[in-house]
Structures are given as C-alpha cells and as structure tokens.
C-alpha cells in the first residue's frame, strides 16, 4: 500500500512550476470527441483522472497517446456510445463525456459518475438542461440513457452556477443549428479555457467568465493544438504550505489573477506576497494569523477546493478562523485526521471553528478525498515529528507526484 512519509518542521524555499489544470484538462479531453480530426493538447498533467479520461476515449474507439505533458487524440473512429461502469465510477468528471458523446453520436449510455465522497453531487441540473435542449433522458437501473434527434436551441437558466452543467451544455450545443444561451453560468477560469479550446476548433461561444454564455451553433469543428491553463488549486496548495511552514517560495507558470482572492487572504494572515506575469512569490517569516471567517462560494468567491488547504495552514495560526462550507455537506473528512495531530477544531454541521495551536504533531493519518489529502500533506509538512499518510491514491487524482514538488522546496517527504 502506497503511503507518504513526511518529516515535518522544514522551511520551504525555492521555485517550482505549477502543473496544468486538472479541472481544465478533463472537459477539454471530452471536447475532442466533437472533432473527427487530430487534437494536440499541451500542458496536460499526468494524473489518475486524466489517465481515466484518456482511457474513456480509447474505449469509445478513439486514439490517445501521451508524450511528456503533450497528449495527441484522434477521434475519427469513435464508434461506441456507452461508457463502461468502471470508468464512470473512477472520477466525477466522467459525466462531461455525456454532452460531447450526445453531440457526436446522438445517443449515450452512462452510469452515475464517481469521484471523491464529499457529499451529494447530483447531475439533475445537467439532465434538466439536456431535456430543455431536446434530449430524451431515461434513468433506470443505475444507468442514464440519452438520445437526441436534433438539438433544440434554448435559453437555459441554471438554478445554481454548476461548473459541470455549464461545461456539459457548452459541449452539447457547440455543434448545432441555432443559438443557446446559459444564464447563471459558472464563471471559473476552467470554463473560459473550455470556451477558448472550443473556439480554437471553430466554435462560436461568447461570455465565458461571466454569468451569461452565448453558444452560436456551428456545423462542424476542426483539429486544434492547444495549451491548457495552470492549476489554480495546485498553486493554492503550494502557497498554503509555504504560509504555515515558513520560507520563500516562487510559483512559476501560474496566472496570479486566478488565485487573487486566496493570495489576498494569505497576505492578511501575515505572508508577504508579490506577483507578476506568470509568477507569484510567497514569503512567510512569522506564525500566521487567523482570518476570522472563510465562506466557500462559486468563483470568484473562495473555492470549496481550497477550504481544507487553508484549514491545515491555519491550524497553527494565532487566533481563530471559522469556516463555512456552502458547497458540499461532507467536506470536513480531513478534520478527524487533523485532530489526531493535535489541532483544535470544532465542527457543527457546515461550520468548523479552528483555534490555532502553537504546533501540531506528526501522526499516522489517512486521506479520504483529494483536497483533504493534500491538506494533510500540508499538515505533515508543518508538524513536529514524523507523519505517515495513507490513502494517497486520492491525492494522485489531482497532484502529479506531490512528494517531488515539496522535496524540490526542501521538504523531507517520500513515497513508500
């Protein structure tokens, strides 16, 4: 069983390149199905989730090859319309293949998607939008059967700015006859990246990054070569580690605007932050300060994916921070593990009050989900003594060799 062994207490110093965005790569890989020609994607991270997405492409009849961080996909021979249950269960973003597969094959069969167990993540918004666009949807026996004769352009009013639903609508409507409009659309940078990728293939999509997205359907899409944006949550992970461990860390190949709010909060906690074109520098010389209240919300608010990261960073802060988790109801699975390390945290429903300790201690702990696992790595790096972290298969879904990243910054961490 793989685990991470961490000897804490080391300051972090040095420069690292931020990996390509997992949450941008997955919908972009799904989008290649819309083109029957070769697509070349650069800056694609090596992750369990991206490997699963490429395997879905192969299972459907396409070809996918990796060379470093470049992926070459050719979907000319896509012939299947059903994604096997094993691949669907391997990750949440497998549901994004529904929109592109429907657009290409006019039918699709999937089971319900998997991913981290962090609470209910229904796909009802996806299916409601599909029905409004003319898709026939039948849910039976744990499977979803979809068929489409001809897309009916429409105005889709999302009840919640769901990232996945926004992406799936874009994928379904990009090749169509007419105009589809999404209101209350998700505004995340990954939505903008998907729009840019689709437009590079010849789509006509406007407004990504705002609450309203216009999709002017086109007849066909072409081949493309494209660079994926950097991973803002990976960048936040490194920044939080630097904040609580102390040191001087430069993040390269990062877009500062994507993490502007989080950088501002780290500055409020006592870090010195400087940034420029494609870089951010974090200098932490003192014990961090508590931040009062942190509430998760859709972008451009504080991301739910960063909640656990900041909790670990503030576990040894001076003062108290209250977290309010507004997105998922089961996203405090890392808390019992932090308590084993001596953290002072009280959870009441969606609220978690973190009173900073002078220090936390290494312990045997286990990751229960992706971002919670990364948070426990941060805790181990800042703790006194040794930490043994199991369950790291969750971390591998979103971080490419996380032990190498922090080793390059001077940490004592290894996989065994």
């Amino acid at each position: 069983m793989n685990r991470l062994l961490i000897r804490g207490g080391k300051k972090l110093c040095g420069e690292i390149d931020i990996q390509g965005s997992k949450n941008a790569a997955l919908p972009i890989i799904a989008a290649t199905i819309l083109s029957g020609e070769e697509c070349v994607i650069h800056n694609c991270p090596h992750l369990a989730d991206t490997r699963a997405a490429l395997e879905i492409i192969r299972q459907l009849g396409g070809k996918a090859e990796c060379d470093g961080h470049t992926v070459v996909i050719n979907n000319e021979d896509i012939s299947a319309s059903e994604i096997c249950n094993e691949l669907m269960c391997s990750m949440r973003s497998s549901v994004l293949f529904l929109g592109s597969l429907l657009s290409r094959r006019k039918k699709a069969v999937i089971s319900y998607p998997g991913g981290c167990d962090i609470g209910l993540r229904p796909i009802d918004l996806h299916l409601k939008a599909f029905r409004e666009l003319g898709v026939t949807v039948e849910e039976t026996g744990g499977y979803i059967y979809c068929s489409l004769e001809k897309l009916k352009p429409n105005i889709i009013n999302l009840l919640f700015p769901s990232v996945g639903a926004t992406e799936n609508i874009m994928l379904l409507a990009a090749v169509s006859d007419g105009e589809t409009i999404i209101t209350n659309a998700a505004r995340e940078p990954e939505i903008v990246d998907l729009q840019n990728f689709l437009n590079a293939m010849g789509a006509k999509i406007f407004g990504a990054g705002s609450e309203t997205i216009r999709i002017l359907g086109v007849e066909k899409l072409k081949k493309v070569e494209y660079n994926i944006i950097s991973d803002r949550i990976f960048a936040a992970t490194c920044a939080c580690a630097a904040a609580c461990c102390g040191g001087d860390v430069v993040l390269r190949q990062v877009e500062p605007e994507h993490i502007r709010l989080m950088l501002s909060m780290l500055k409020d906690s006592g870090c010195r932050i400087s940034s420029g074109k494609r870089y951010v520098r974090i200098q932490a010389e003192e014990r961090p300060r508590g931040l009062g209240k942190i509430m998760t919300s859709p972008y451009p608010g504080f991301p739910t994916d960063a909640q656990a990261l900041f909790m670990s960073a503030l576990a040894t802060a001076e003062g108290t921070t209250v977290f309010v988790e507004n997105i998922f109801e089961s996203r405090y699975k890392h808390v019992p593990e932090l308590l084993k390390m001596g953290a002072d945290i009280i959870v009441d429903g969606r609220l978690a009050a973190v009173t900073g300790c002078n220090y936390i201690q290494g312990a045997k702990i286990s990751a229960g989900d992706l971002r919670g696992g990364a948070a426990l790595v941060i805790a181990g790096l800042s703790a006194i003594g040794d930490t043994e972290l199991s369950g790291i298969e969750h971390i591998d879904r979103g971080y490419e060799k996380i032990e190498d990243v922090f080793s390059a910054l001077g940490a004592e961490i290894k996989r065994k």
Side-chain angles (χ1 to χ4, degrees), residues 90-161:
S90 67
M91 63 171 179
R92 171 69 181 177
S93 293
S94 56
V95 73
L96 295 175
F97 284 86
L98 186 57
S100 54
L101 196 54
L102 261 176
S103 178
R104 174 75 179 270
R105 298 280 299 160
K106 305 306 178 187
K107 60 181 179 179
V109 180
I110 65 170
S111 58
Y112 286 89
C116 291
D117 182 13
I118 55 176
L120 293 175
R121 294 192 284 177
I123 61 171
D124 56 315
L125 293 180
H126 303 236
L127 301 183
K128 179 177 182 293
F130 282 5
R131 289 186 174 104
E132 292 175 359
L133 291 169
V135 177
T136 299
V137 180
E138 181 182 355
E139 301 176 70
T140 180
Y143 284 83
I144 303 169
Y145 298 84
C146 297
S147 61
L148 175 67
E149 290 187 9
K150 184 177 181 180
L151 186 134
K152 300 175 182 178
N154 205 343
I155 298 176
I156 307 298
N157 301 296
L158 291 177
L159 299 177
F160 178 84

Side-chain angles (χ1 to χ4, degrees), residues 18-33 40-47 49-51 53-54 69 71 73 91-94 96-97 100 163-164 166-168 170-171 187-198 201 208 224 226-234 253 255 258 278 305 370-371 397-398:
I18 299 302
Q19 71 180 38
S21 170
K22 174 184 88 80
N23 290 336
L26 298 177
I28 283 174
I29 290 172
T32 64
I33 290 177
V40 180
I41 304 169
H42 300 294
N43 201 33
C44 185
H46 289 302
L47 307 169
D49 276 12
T50 54
R51 288 192 293 272
L54 295 176
H69 291 103
V71 175
I73 300 174
M91 63 171 179
R92 171 69 181 177
S93 293
S94 56
L96 295 175
F97 284 86
S100 54
V163 173
T166 300
E167 292 170 338
N168 240 336
M170 294 168 67
L171 292 169
R187 300 165 59 185
E188 276 75 0
E190 295 79 17
I191 301 289
V192 177
D193 212 32
L194 178 59
Q195 172 185 276
N196 292 342
F197 178 79
L198 290 169
M201 284 201 294
V224 69
Y226 190 81
N227 286 283
I228 291 173
I229 60 172
S230 62
D231 195 311
R232 60 194 174 98
I233 305 302
F234 183 102
Q253 305 304 317
E255 179 50 64
H258 292 171
R278 306 287 291 164
D305 278 355
L370 168 55
R371 303 305 175 186
R397 289 186 48 239

Side-chain angles (χ1 to χ4, degrees), residues 5 17 68 118 122 146 151 161 193 212-213 218 255 259 273-274 317 323 361 369 380 384-385 398:
L5 305 180
D17 290 332
I118 55 176
C146 297
L151 186 134
D193 212 32
T212 303
I213 297 177
V218 299
E255 179 50 64
I259 56 173
I273 306 291
S274 57
F323 290 83
Q361 294 181 319
D369 61 78
I384 293 176

